[in-house]
Amino acid sequence: MSKKNIWTTKLIEYMKTNKAGKCPICGSLNFKVEEFNYGRRSISFKCSDCGVIRHFDGCESVQKV
């Protein structure tokens, strides 16, 4: 699975369960999610162990998946 697909899958999983789960890169449970709801829903994932950060802007349409 490509890195882009890993993050898309993680985003959809989070939108369905509202749980961060494990980091898709290193497998750490020290994985956080921040949501920003200023006009449109944005979501940031951050792993405190490997330092990876991914941000998705305008996630409202993902809920329809």
Side-chain angles (χ1 to χ4, degrees), residues 20-38:
K22 296 180 182 179
C23 174
I25 303 302
C26 73
S28 171
L29 290 174
N30 200 4
F31 190 64
K32 309 280 186 230
V33 178
E34 291 183 358
E35 287 197 43
F36 308 94
N37 292 306
Y38 303 107

Side-chain angles (χ1 to χ4, degrees), residues 15-55:
M15 297 289 287
K16 288 180 179 179
T17 66
N18 209 32
K19 295 180 182 176
K22 296 180 182 179
C23 174
I25 303 302
C26 73
S28 171
L29 290 174
N30 200 4
F31 190 64
K32 309 280 186 230
V33 178
E34 291 183 358
E35 287 197 43
F36 308 94
N37 292 306
Y38 303 107
R40 60 184 184 194
R41 187 177 185 188
S42 297
I43 297 174
S44 292
F45 294 99
K46 180 180 181 187
C47 180
S48 296
D49 289 338
C50 72
V52 69
I53 298 172
R54 289 295 180 269
H55 179 78

